[in-house]
Amino acid sequence: MFEHLLYIGSLDKKSNSFRRFQAYTEIIKNVEGIDVEKYIYSSITKKFDHHFNFGLGTIRLNLALRKLDFSKFDAVIVDNRPFLFKSTLRFIKKKNMQIKIANVLTDDPNGKYKRGWCLLKKTAWLYDMHFVQRVQNIGELYGWGAKKVETCFRSFDPKFHRKKDTITKDHSFQVGFIGSYEEQREESIKFLIENGINVNVTGDGWDKGKYFEIIKDYYAGPSVYGEAYVDKINAMPIALHFLRAGNRDEQDSRTFEIPACGTPMIAQYSAVHASLFLDNEEVLFFKNNQELLEKVNLLLSNPTLADKLANAALKRCVSSGYDHINTIKKVIEHLAK
C-alpha cells in the first residue's frame, strides 16, 4: 500500500473529482492535491488548454509540477484528462524511479470529443497504468502504447449522494431527467411528452435542440450542482437515465448516484448496466422509446413497485461497494502490484 500520494485533478468542491480526492485521503495516510482548475480553467487560454492540451495554463501546470519533490511520493494519480507533457512525466520518473504513475479516466479519450485528448495519445506509454470506463478504450490505449490498462467504473459518495428524508417528492411532474443535451435524449423526451408524460428536464444546451419548442414548457433550467443536485434527484418521483452516446458510455456517475439517493430509476440498457443492477428487481431498463414509455407508465400506475425498486437499488449500491472508497481501493491495489 502507498503511504504518500500526489493527486492531480479538479478540486472544485462541487465536482465528483473532489469527492474522489477526499476518498483517497481516507485510504492513504498522506495525500497532496494539485488543482487543475487553478491552472487550466483559470487561464486566459483555457479553451486552447482544454481542447488542444496546450496553452498558458498547461505550461503553468507542468512548471508547477517540476517544483515538487517527487522523491517523497509513492504514486501519482491523474484524474481524468491529463495535461502532463512527455518531459514532465520523464522528469517525475527521473526523480523517483520507483514511483507509480496512473491515469484514471472517467471520460472517453477516443469518442466524439477525442480532439481534447491529444496529449494522452502522445504520452500513454509513459504511465504505469490506465484505468478506463469502456471496453473499447482498452484496445485503444494499448494501441497508443499503454503498458497496462484496467477497467474501473464510476462510483458515488455515500456522504453526499444520499436519500434525504427532509425532501418530499415533487408531483408537479411525473418523471425527471438531469443531464446535458444530446440528440438521442431529446428524441426520447419528445416522444414521452407527445405521449402524455410530464417530464421535468434539467441540464445545459437544451435550448439549442431541434425540438425545444416542444420541450421548453417542461424545461426546468441549466445544470445544478452540490446539494441542489442531490435535492433534485431526491424530489423526482421517477428518474430517467440516458447514457451519453458521444462518450460511448455504458455507465456513468448517475448510474450510481440516482439509486444512492433512493429514487426509482429507469435507465437506458447496456451490458454493463445489466451487470450492475437486476432488471425489474432493482431498476428498469429500456432499449427504445416504446419500451421507455411502457416502463414509465408501469411505475406511474404502480407506486408500490417504484418504492420496491428504489429500496432494492439503494441496497445494491451499498452491498456491491459501488461507492468511491471501495472503487478507489481497487485502483490502489492494482497500481501497487
Side-chain angles (χ1 to χ4, degrees):
M1 183 63 73
F2 302 120
E3 292 188 1
H4 205 151
L5 179 141
L6 177 67
Y7 174 95
I8 304 171
S10 171
L11 296 180
D12 180 343
K13 291 186 178 180
K14 293 180 180 179
S15 68
N16 280 330
S17 54
F18 175 71
R19 283 181 276 278
R20 289 193 291 270
F21 168 74
Q22 289 181 309
Y24 281 106
T25 66
E26 293 185 39
I27 299 168
I28 295 174
K29 185 177 180 181
N30 299 296
V31 178
E32 295 183 35
I34 296 290
D35 185 8
V36 299
E37 298 283 340
K38 174 182 174 182
Y39 298 95
I40 305 299
Y41 299 107
S42 298
S43 170
I44 59 172
T45 61
K46 61 184 177 183
K47 289 186 178 179
F48 287 96
D49 290 290
H50 182 80
H51 293 296
F52 302 106
N53 304 160
F54 189 81
L56 293 176
T58 310
I59 293 169
R60 287 175 57 230
L61 171 63
N62 281 268
L63 288 174
L65 289 171
R66 284 173 170 264
K67 294 178 182 178
L68 299 179
D69 177 13
F70 282 98
S71 65
K72 66 182 179 179
F73 294 113
D74 302 306
V76 176
I77 295 289
V78 179
D79 191 313
N80 206 28
R81 191 182 307 240
F83 294 96
L84 277 62
F85 298 146
K86 281 183 185 178
S87 58
T88 301
L89 290 163
R90 286 172 171 155
F91 173 84
I92 294 170
K93 282 289 189 178
K94 184 179 180 181
K95 294 296 181 180
N96 184 352
M97 292 294 292
Q98 303 304 314
I99 200 169
K100 294 290 186 73
I101 308 175
N103 185 196
V104 182
L105 298 161
T106 55
D107 287 323
D108 187 356
N110 205 34
K112 181 179 179 180
Y113 308 101
K114 61 184 178 182
R115 182 179 65 176
W117 296 81
C118 50
L119 254 184
L120 175 61
K121 194 170 183 178
K122 296 175 182 176
T123 60
W125 60 281
L126 289 167
Y127 291 82
D128 294 289
M129 203 162 194
H130 296 272
F131 295 88
V132 298
Q133 304 277 311
R134 302 150 193 84
V135 173
Q136 303 101 306
N137 289 157
I138 296 174
E140 292 163 356
L141 264 293
Y142 280 131
W144 295 347
K147 296 171 184 173
K148 192 171 183 181
V149 186
E150 295 282 348
T151 54
C152 174
F153 297 143
R154 294 286 188 100
S155 47
F156 75 98
D157 181 352
K159 296 177 183 176
F160 180 72
H161 305 107
R162 67 213 186 273
K163 187 175 181 179
K164 299 176 77 169
D165 294 331
T166 55
I167 302 294
T168 56
K169 295 298 181 186
D170 184 351
H171 292 288
S172 65
F173 58 91
Q174 294 170 302
V175 295
F177 173 70
I178 297 180
S180 57
Y181 169 85
E182 270 204 339
E183 187 176 334
Q184 181 187 33
R185 297 171 174 182
E186 184 188 44
E187 290 277 357
S188 295
I189 288 175
K190 168 182 170 285
F191 180 82
L192 290 179
I193 291 170
E194 290 177 338
N195 282 274
I197 304 300
N198 188 336
V199 187
N200 184 277
V201 180
T202 302
D204 298 333
W206 287 88
D207 58 335
K208 297 179 177 64
K210 187 163 122 179
Y211 301 113
F212 189 65
E213 283 302 309
I214 295 172
I215 294 173
K216 68 178 181 180
D217 289 340
Y218 302 84
Y219 181 59
S223 297
V224 290
Y225 302 94
E227 287 295 334
Y229 171 75
V230 176
D231 290 351
K232 186 82 177 179
I233 295 175
N234 269 267
M236 292 179 181
I238 300 166
L240 304 179
H241 180 31
F242 299 100
L243 295 168
R244 193 172 179 83
N247 268 358
R248 302 184 293 179
D249 285 342
E250 291 192 293
Q251 51 77 52
D252 62 17
S253 294
R254 278 184 286 277
T255 295
F256 309 103
E257 292 166 359
I258 292 170
C261 289
T263 295
M265 180 170 73
I266 302 176
Q268 187 174 352
Y269 175 85
S270 74
V272 172
H273 264 173
S275 72
L276 295 167
F277 294 99
L278 295 175
D279 192 14
N280 298 314
E281 294 183 33
E282 295 167 339
V283 304
L284 297 183
F285 293 124
F286 67 92
K287 294 181 179 179
N288 54 55
N289 287 340
Q290 186 58 45
E291 277 192 12
L292 171 59
L293 177 62
E294 291 170 2
K295 299 294 175 73
V296 168
N297 281 324
L298 173 63
L299 291 194
L300 289 176
S301 64
N302 195 337
T304 301
L305 175 60
D307 289 341
K308 181 181 176 182
L309 290 171
N311 291 332
L314 174 54
K315 288 179 182 177
R316 179 66 182 272
C317 282
V318 175
S319 65
S320 292
Y322 294 155
D323 58 280
H324 289 338
I325 293 288
N326 280 290
T327 301
I328 287 170
K329 278 182 179 178
K330 292 175 185 176
V331 167
I332 297 301
E333 287 168 5
H334 278 298
L335 187 58
K337 289 179 182 177

XYZ file of all heavy atoms in Angstrom, residues 181-245:
530
model
N -27.809 18.287 -23.009
C -28.497 17.961 -24.259
C -27.699 16.989 -25.117
O -26.484 17.107 -25.260
C -28.747 19.235 -25.067
C -29.211 18.961 -26.479
C -30.555 18.737 -26.750
C -28.297 18.892 -27.535
C -30.984 18.460 -28.042
C -28.722 18.617 -28.823
C -30.063 18.396 -29.070
O -30.486 18.119 -30.347
N -28.394 16.016 -25.661
C -27.903 15.177 -26.753
C -29.099 14.838 -27.622
O -30.231 14.718 -27.119
C -27.255 13.887 -26.247
C -25.776 14.026 -25.995
C -25.033 12.695 -26.077
O -25.648 11.622 -25.941
O -23.824 12.742 -26.294
N -28.853 14.676 -28.890
C -29.944 14.449 -29.838
C -30.794 13.239 -29.465
O -32.024 13.288 -29.515
C -29.358 14.272 -31.249
C -30.397 14.193 -32.341
C -29.776 14.119 -33.718
O -28.636 14.603 -33.888
O -30.428 13.579 -34.637
N -30.139 12.158 -29.084
C -30.858 10.932 -28.727
C -31.756 11.157 -27.509
O -32.901 10.681 -27.456
C -29.841 9.819 -28.447
C -30.454 8.475 -28.076
C -29.390 7.474 -27.648
O -28.381 7.836 -27.061
N -29.622 6.210 -27.946
N -31.254 11.878 -26.537
C -32.031 12.185 -25.335
C -33.244 13.043 -25.689
O -34.336 12.829 -25.171
C -31.152 12.913 -24.321
C -29.984 12.097 -23.820
C -29.033 12.931 -22.985
N -27.990 12.101 -22.393
C -27.045 12.547 -21.577
N -27.009 13.825 -21.248
N -26.133 11.719 -21.086
N -33.022 14.013 -26.564
C -34.097 14.905 -26.973
C -35.215 14.120 -27.665
O -36.407 14.355 -27.411
C -33.550 15.977 -27.913
C -34.596 17.014 -28.324
C -34.081 17.950 -29.394
O -33.443 17.461 -30.347
O -34.332 19.158 -29.284
N -34.837 13.204 -28.529
C -35.825 12.375 -29.243
C -36.695 11.603 -28.252
O -37.917 11.527 -28.396
C -35.117 11.398 -30.185
C -34.453 12.039 -31.387
C -35.415 12.286 -32.532
O -36.596 11.904 -32.418
O -34.978 12.878 -33.536
N -36.054 11.027 -27.229
C -36.779 10.219 -26.241
C -37.717 11.064 -25.392
O -38.868 10.688 -25.133
C -35.789 9.474 -25.345
O -35.043 8.538 -26.086
N -37.245 12.221 -24.953
C -38.078 13.087 -24.115
C -39.235 13.664 -24.924
O -40.371 13.765 -24.431
C -37.211 14.171 -23.461
C -36.347 13.517 -22.369
C -38.068 15.284 -22.865
C -35.342 14.409 -21.710
N -38.978 14.038 -26.163
C -40.048 14.492 -27.049
C -41.116 13.406 -27.196
O -42.324 13.681 -27.137
C -39.461 14.842 -28.416
C -40.491 15.060 -29.533
C -39.775 15.358 -30.845
C -40.725 15.333 -32.025
N -41.121 13.961 -32.439
N -40.673 12.161 -27.355
C -41.598 11.034 -27.510
C -42.470 10.876 -26.261
O -43.685 10.673 -26.360
C -40.806 9.748 -27.768
C -41.647 8.523 -27.948
C -42.239 8.242 -29.169
C -41.845 7.629 -26.891
C -43.017 7.108 -29.344
C -42.618 6.491 -27.054
C -43.213 6.234 -28.275
N -41.870 10.989 -25.088
C -42.642 10.878 -23.848
C -43.667 12.004 -23.738
O -44.833 11.762 -23.386
C -41.710 10.910 -22.640
C -40.807 9.693 -22.406
C -39.932 9.915 -21.181
C -41.619 8.414 -22.247
N -43.254 13.211 -24.030
C -44.160 14.363 -23.952
C -45.339 14.187 -24.905
O -46.506 14.431 -24.542
C -43.400 15.665 -24.249
C -42.408 15.974 -23.110
C -44.372 16.839 -24.436
C -41.441 17.104 -23.414
N -45.049 13.758 -26.118
C -46.107 13.568 -27.119
C -47.057 12.434 -26.746
O -48.159 12.347 -27.279
C -45.483 13.299 -28.485
C -44.804 14.533 -29.074
C -44.123 14.274 -30.406
O -43.795 13.087 -30.687
O -43.915 15.232 -31.163
N -46.614 11.591 -25.805
C -47.470 10.511 -25.335
C -48.021 10.781 -23.935
O -48.387 9.850 -23.209
C -46.711 9.187 -25.364
C -46.619 8.605 -26.766
O -47.528 7.906 -27.211
N -45.533 8.912 -27.466
N -48.065 12.058 -23.579
C -48.777 12.474 -22.373
C -48.012 12.408 -21.070
O -48.612 12.520 -19.998
N -46.677 12.216 -21.124
C -45.889 12.143 -19.898
C -45.326 13.525 -19.570
O -44.736 14.194 -20.412
C -44.717 11.133 -20.043
C -45.245 9.752 -20.442
C -43.921 11.059 -18.753
C -46.214 9.131 -19.459
N -45.503 13.935 -18.316
C -44.989 15.215 -17.838
C -43.546 15.020 -17.360
O -43.304 14.442 -16.302
C -45.867 15.727 -16.703
C -45.518 17.151 -16.292
O -44.404 17.610 -16.498
N -46.482 17.843 -15.705
N -42.600 15.482 -18.174
C -41.172 15.277 -17.892
C -40.541 16.584 -17.437
O -40.738 17.628 -18.059
C -40.427 14.778 -19.145
C -38.989 14.402 -18.792
C -41.147 13.602 -19.785
N -39.774 16.524 -16.361
C -39.039 17.679 -15.886
C -37.584 17.522 -16.334
O -36.912 16.573 -15.948
C -39.129 17.756 -14.356
C -38.460 18.990 -13.786
O -37.254 19.012 -13.598
N -39.262 20.002 -13.491
N -37.089 18.460 -17.149
C -35.753 18.352 -17.744
C -34.835 19.438 -17.192
O -35.157 20.623 -17.253
C -35.811 18.484 -19.285
C -34.420 18.360 -19.891
C -36.753 17.441 -19.874
N -33.687 19.031 -16.664
C -32.698 19.958 -16.131
C -31.351 19.674 -16.781
O -30.915 18.521 -16.816
C -32.561 19.800 -14.601
O -33.825 20.024 -13.986
C -31.541 20.783 -14.041
N -30.690 20.705 -17.297
C -29.381 20.497 -17.903
C -29.036 21.572 -18.908
O -29.875 22.405 -19.268
N -27.798 21.529 -19.378
C -27.298 22.556 -20.286
C -27.543 22.194 -21.748
O -27.552 21.022 -22.120
C -25.792 22.752 -20.071
C -25.451 23.240 -18.679
O -26.312 23.907 -18.063
O -24.340 22.946 -18.190
N -27.721 23.233 -22.577
C -27.753 23.063 -24.022
C -29.087 22.700 -24.636
O -29.204 22.604 -25.864
N -30.128 22.522 -23.852
C -31.413 22.067 -24.386
C -32.081 23.109 -25.265
O -32.831 22.763 -26.188
C -32.336 21.660 -23.240
C -31.909 20.361 -22.630
C -31.010 20.183 -21.618
C -32.322 19.054 -23.025
N -30.843 18.839 -21.350
C -31.641 18.121 -22.190
C -33.217 18.563 -23.977
C -31.817 16.750 -22.300
C -33.392 17.185 -24.088
C -32.699 16.301 -23.264
N -31.810 24.372 -25.013
C -32.441 25.428 -25.810
C -31.933 25.460 -27.248
O -32.517 26.115 -28.113
C -32.231 26.791 -25.150
C -30.760 27.125 -24.951
O -29.933 26.193 -24.872
O -30.441 28.320 -24.873
N -30.859 24.736 -27.541
C -30.321 24.672 -28.894
C -30.854 23.462 -29.666
O -30.501 23.242 -30.819
C -28.795 24.628 -28.853
C -28.163 25.878 -28.248
C -26.636 25.752 -28.213
C -25.980 27.015 -27.694
N -26.301 27.325 -26.312
N -31.695 22.681 -29.024
C -32.194 21.461 -29.629
C -33.221 21.678 -30.729
O -33.877 22.722 -30.807
N -33.370 20.677 -31.550
C -34.290 20.721 -32.682
C -35.746 20.806 -32.243
O -36.584 21.408 -32.908
C -34.060 19.459 -33.520
C -34.800 19.402 -34.828
C -34.135 18.317 -35.678
C -35.094 17.262 -36.073
N -34.502 16.211 -36.898
N -36.053 20.198 -31.105
C -37.438 20.125 -30.640
C -37.675 20.941 -29.371
O -38.563 20.620 -28.582
C -37.828 18.668 -30.388
C -37.713 17.789 -31.608
C -36.762 16.764 -31.663
C -38.535 17.980 -32.728
C -36.651 15.954 -32.789
C -38.426 17.180 -33.848
C -37.480 16.173 -33.871
O -37.367 15.370 -34.987
N -36.878 21.987 -29.173
C -37.020 22.742 -27.925
C -38.394 23.404 -27.799
O -38.884 23.601 -26.685
C -35.918 23.799 -27.792
C -35.900 24.453 -26.440
C -35.597 23.713 -25.303
C -36.220 25.797 -26.288
C -35.593 24.299 -24.046
C -36.211 26.397 -25.037
C -35.913 25.652 -23.918
N -39.017 23.739 -28.901
C -40.356 24.319 -28.835
C -41.336 23.361 -28.170
O -42.283 23.777 -27.503
C -40.848 24.688 -30.240
C -40.245 25.970 -30.795
C -40.511 27.185 -29.910
O -41.689 27.410 -29.555
O -39.553 27.893 -29.566
N -41.116 22.065 -28.349
C -41.964 21.045 -27.710
C -41.564 20.859 -26.253
O -42.415 20.692 -25.367
C -41.848 19.699 -28.465
C -42.409 19.843 -29.886
C -42.563 18.573 -27.714
C -42.168 18.635 -30.772
N -40.269 20.939 -25.987
C -39.746 20.622 -24.653
C -39.738 21.822 -23.708
O -39.767 21.650 -22.482
C -38.317 20.035 -24.792
C -38.382 18.678 -25.507
C -37.612 19.893 -23.450
C -37.032 18.087 -25.843
N -39.734 23.047 -24.233
C -39.464 24.229 -23.408
C -40.395 24.391 -22.213
O -39.970 24.874 -21.152
C -39.461 25.496 -24.260
C -40.789 25.908 -24.830
C -40.633 27.219 -25.626
C -41.956 27.681 -26.193
N -41.801 28.940 -26.959
N -41.659 23.985 -22.331
C -42.576 24.101 -21.195
C -42.255 23.089 -20.094
O -42.789 23.188 -18.981
C -44.021 23.898 -21.665
C -44.530 25.077 -22.489
O -43.940 26.177 -22.382
O -45.495 24.902 -23.252
N -41.392 22.133 -20.396
C -41.009 21.092 -19.436
C -39.570 21.291 -18.956
O -39.068 20.493 -18.181
C -41.148 19.704 -20.074
C -42.549 19.416 -20.579
C -42.964 19.853 -21.835
C -43.461 18.725 -19.786
C -44.251 19.610 -22.298
C -44.747 18.474 -20.241
C -45.134 18.918 -21.491
O -46.413 18.673 -21.936
N -38.949 22.342 -19.455
C -37.536 22.594 -19.151
C -37.410 23.393 -17.862
O -37.975 24.475 -17.721
C -36.892 23.355 -20.311
C -35.422 23.645 -20.124
C -34.502 22.620 -19.936
C -34.945 24.962 -20.138
C -33.149 22.881 -19.780
C -33.592 25.242 -19.989
C -32.702 24.191 -19.803
O -31.366 24.465 -19.645
N -36.623 22.861 -16.898
C -36.500 23.483 -15.576
C -35.269 24.365 -15.432
O -35.103 25.010 -14.400
C -36.489 22.398 -14.498
N -34.397 24.374 -16.451
C -33.224 25.235 -16.372
C -31.919 24.478 -16.501
O -31.895 23.262 -16.696
N -30.789 25.200 -16.405
C -29.468 24.584 -16.596
C -29.082 23.644 -15.463
O -29.803 23.503 -14.471
C -28.538 25.804 -16.653
C -29.252 26.866 -15.882
C -30.718 26.641 -16.144
N -27.926 23.034 -15.631
C -27.431 22.041 -14.672
C -27.362 22.598 -13.255
O -27.093 23.790 -13.049
C -26.047 21.554 -15.089
O -26.087 20.894 -16.325
N -27.599 21.735 -12.294
C -27.482 22.098 -10.882
C -26.384 21.243 -10.250
O -26.122 20.124 -10.686
C -28.816 21.905 -10.136
C -29.836 22.928 -10.581
C -29.364 20.491 -10.312
N -25.765 21.778 -9.199
C -24.630 21.102 -8.580
C -24.762 21.124 -7.059
O -25.632 21.785 -6.512
C -23.318 21.778 -8.998
C -23.113 21.790 -10.502
C -23.505 22.893 -11.269
C -22.549 20.704 -11.149
C -23.317 22.910 -12.645
C -22.367 20.703 -12.525
C -22.751 21.804 -13.269
O -22.584 21.813 -14.630
N -23.875 20.406 -6.416
C -23.865 20.391 -4.957
C -25.149 19.825 -4.375
O -25.763 18.920 -4.936
N -25.565 20.381 -3.251
C -26.767 19.888 -2.573
C -28.011 20.073 -3.429
O -28.960 19.294 -3.326
C -26.945 20.603 -1.226
C -25.960 20.167 -0.155
C -26.117 18.712 0.258
O -27.220 18.155 0.124
O -25.114 18.120 0.710
N -28.014 21.095 -4.290
C -29.164 21.314 -5.179
C -29.355 20.127 -6.117
O -30.484 19.768 -6.465
C -28.973 22.601 -5.976
N -28.247 19.523 -6.531
C -28.289 18.340 -7.394
C -28.884 17.140 -6.646
O -29.779 16.447 -7.146
C -26.873 18.023 -7.872
C -26.716 16.703 -8.593
C -27.157 16.543 -9.907
C -26.099 15.615 -7.966
C -26.999 15.334 -10.571
C -25.931 14.412 -8.629
C -26.378 14.281 -9.929
O -26.226 13.082 -10.580
N -28.416 16.923 -5.430
C -28.927 15.811 -4.611
C -30.406 16.023 -4.292
O -31.210 15.086 -4.353
C -28.099 15.671 -3.318
C -28.676 14.593 -2.403
C -26.648 15.351 -3.652
N -30.778 17.261 -3.968
C -32.183 17.570 -3.675
C -33.066 17.310 -4.891
O -34.183 16.801 -4.765
C -32.324 19.030 -3.249
C -31.724 19.307 -1.876
O -31.358 18.336 -1.182
O -31.599 20.497 -1.509
N -32.552 17.669 -6.061
C -33.322 17.498 -7.291
C -33.621 16.024 -7.552
O -34.747 15.651 -7.897
C -32.533 18.091 -8.468
C -33.270 18.105 -9.793
C -34.206 19.288 -9.890
C -34.897 19.352 -11.226
N -35.828 20.476 -11.330
N -32.620 15.176 -7.379
C -32.828 13.732 -7.584
C -33.799 13.191 -6.538
O -34.695 12.405 -6.849
C -31.499 12.965 -7.531
C -30.594 13.378 -8.699
C -31.747 11.459 -7.584
C -29.220 12.759 -8.665
N -33.610 13.602 -5.289
C -34.496 13.142 -4.217
C -35.946 13.520 -4.477
O -36.867 12.781 -4.105
C -34.046 13.724 -2.875
C -33.063 12.840 -2.135
O -33.449 12.028 -1.303
N -31.785 12.982 -2.462
N -36.170 14.677 -5.118
C -37.534 15.161 -5.333
C -38.228 14.490 -6.513
O -39.451 14.615 -6.662
C -37.515 16.673 -5.535
N -37.482 13.779 -7.346
C -38.079 13.146 -8.519
C -38.919 11.925 -8.119
O -38.421 11.039 -7.430
C -36.992 12.685 -9.492
C -36.232 13.791 -10.168
S -34.961 13.108 -11.278
C -34.234 14.620 -11.900
N -40.167 11.848 -8.566
C -40.943 10.629 -8.325
C -40.305 9.422 -9.022
O -40.256 8.331 -8.478
C -42.315 10.955 -8.929
C -42.373 12.450 -8.975
C -40.969 12.891 -9.231
N -39.793 9.675 -10.236
C -39.082 8.673 -11.031
C -37.960 9.408 -11.767
O -38.171 10.500 -12.291
C -40.011 7.995 -12.068
C -41.179 7.294 -11.383
C -39.234 7.003 -12.932
C -42.299 6.900 -12.351
N -36.775 8.799 -11.815
C -35.652 9.414 -12.532
C -35.347 8.640 -13.804
O -35.242 7.412 -13.786
C -34.415 9.457 -11.646
N -35.199 9.372 -14.906
C -34.757 8.783 -16.165
C -33.239 8.867 -16.243
O -32.637 9.833 -15.770
C -35.354 9.541 -17.356
C -36.875 9.660 -17.417
C -37.277 10.457 -18.653
C -37.518 8.278 -17.447
N -32.638 7.859 -16.852
C -31.185 7.877 -17.013
C -30.817 7.482 -18.439
O -30.979 6.334 -18.838
C -30.517 6.929 -16.019
C -29.022 6.912 -16.130
N -28.300 8.015 -16.527
C -28.112 5.938 -15.913
C -27.011 7.715 -16.538
N -26.877 6.453 -16.181
N -30.353 8.482 -19.210
C -29.878 8.243 -20.571
C -28.358 8.262 -20.572
O -27.736 9.151 -19.983
C -30.368 9.350 -21.520
C -31.858 9.459 -21.626
C -32.553 10.436 -20.926
C -32.578 8.589 -22.426
C -33.931 10.554 -21.028
C -33.960 8.701 -22.537
C -34.633 9.680 -21.835
N -27.753 7.316 -21.232
C -26.304 7.300 -21.387
C -25.893 8.316 -22.454
O -26.708 8.716 -23.287
C -25.833 5.898 -21.771
C -26.062 4.835 -20.685
C -25.843 3.436 -21.243
C -25.154 5.084 -19.482
N -24.648 8.713 -22.424
C -24.149 9.726 -23.360
C -23.523 9.035 -24.566
O -22.441 8.439 -24.467
C -23.141 10.629 -22.661
C -22.793 11.886 -23.437
C -21.940 12.817 -22.581
N -21.566 14.029 -23.288
C -22.325 15.106 -23.398
N -23.519 15.116 -22.839
N -21.907 16.171 -24.061
N -24.185 9.141 -25.711
C -23.721 8.466 -26.922
C -22.365 8.996 -27.378
O -21.511 8.225 -27.836
C -24.753 8.627 -28.032
